[in-house]
């Protein structure tokens, strides 16, 4: 399962957020069967530098082949671009955080104990 956490410096209204979430849902399903997506939009004054107008995705998964990582990056880029276009470089950042079963707890138990 993938856990994807998005921190956004995009200025989206409620309708824009709904469109983005729907686009992300559609694109992520092409890469992962099971996932949890959390989207946080930073408010005015909560970003600085390059973060304004940018979305950073933290993708927490077991290590996977480079080709799958490329697929994830492309899927997240397509989702964001389908809603806000592609007005700048470095708009969609994807950071992979890898873990194995000894680094994850679920419902009070370590994954390695299942």
């Amino acid at each position: 399962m993938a856990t994807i956490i998005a921190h956004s410096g995009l200025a989206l209204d409620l309708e824009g957020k709904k469109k983005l979430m729907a686009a992300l849902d559609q694109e992520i399903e092409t890469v992962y069967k099971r996932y949890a997506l959390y989207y946080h939009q930073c408010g005015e004054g909560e970003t600085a530098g390059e973060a304004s107008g940018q979305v950073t995705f933290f993708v927490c998964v077991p290590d996977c082949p480079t080709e799958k990582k490329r697929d994830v990056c492309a899927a997240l880029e397509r989702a964001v671009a389908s809603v806000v276009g592609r007005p700048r470089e470095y708009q969609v950042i994807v950071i992979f955080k890898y873990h194995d079963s000894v680094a994850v707890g679920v419902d009070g138990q370590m994954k390695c104990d299942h």
Side-chain angles (χ1 to χ4, degrees), residues 58-75:
F58 297 90
V59 180
C60 306
V61 292
D63 198 6
C64 56
T66 301
E67 193 57 39
K68 184 155 189 167
K69 295 172 199 170
R70 288 187 181 107
D71 293 343
V72 171
C73 290

Side-chain angles (χ1 to χ4, degrees), residues 12-24 39 83:
L12 298 177
D13 61 12
L14 182 58
E15 188 60 32
K17 286 184 212 177
K18 288 180 180 180
K19 286 179 182 177
L20 180 57
M21 288 300 291
L24 287 167
Y39 178 83
V83 175

Side-chain angles (χ1 to χ4, degrees), residues 2 5 57 65 101 107:
I5 303 163
F57 293 93
S101 62
D107 297 329

Side-chain angles (χ1 to χ4, degrees), residues 24-97:
L24 287 167
D25 188 47
Q26 182 178 355
E27 288 291 345
I28 293 168
E29 283 182 343
T30 67
V31 185
Y32 294 112
K33 293 179 183 177
R34 295 183 62 214
Y35 66 91
L37 171 63
Y38 301 91
Y39 178 83
H40 171 75
Q41 182 169 303
C42 299
E44 188 176 329
E46 294 180 342
T47 62
E50 293 290 319
S52 179
Q54 183 179 83
V55 183
T56 300
F57 293 93
F58 297 90
V59 180
C60 306
V61 292
D63 198 6
C64 56
T66 301
E67 193 57 39
K68 184 155 189 167
K69 295 172 199 170
R70 288 187 181 107
D71 293 343
V72 171
C73 290
L76 295 172
E77 166 68 21
R78 282 192 305 269
V80 174
S82 74
V83 175
V84 300
R86 191 73 166 88
R88 60 175 269 198
E89 289 186 332
Y90 300 107
Q91 178 174 322
V92 177
I93 307 300
V94 181
I95 300 170
F96 289 89
K97 172 66 177 141

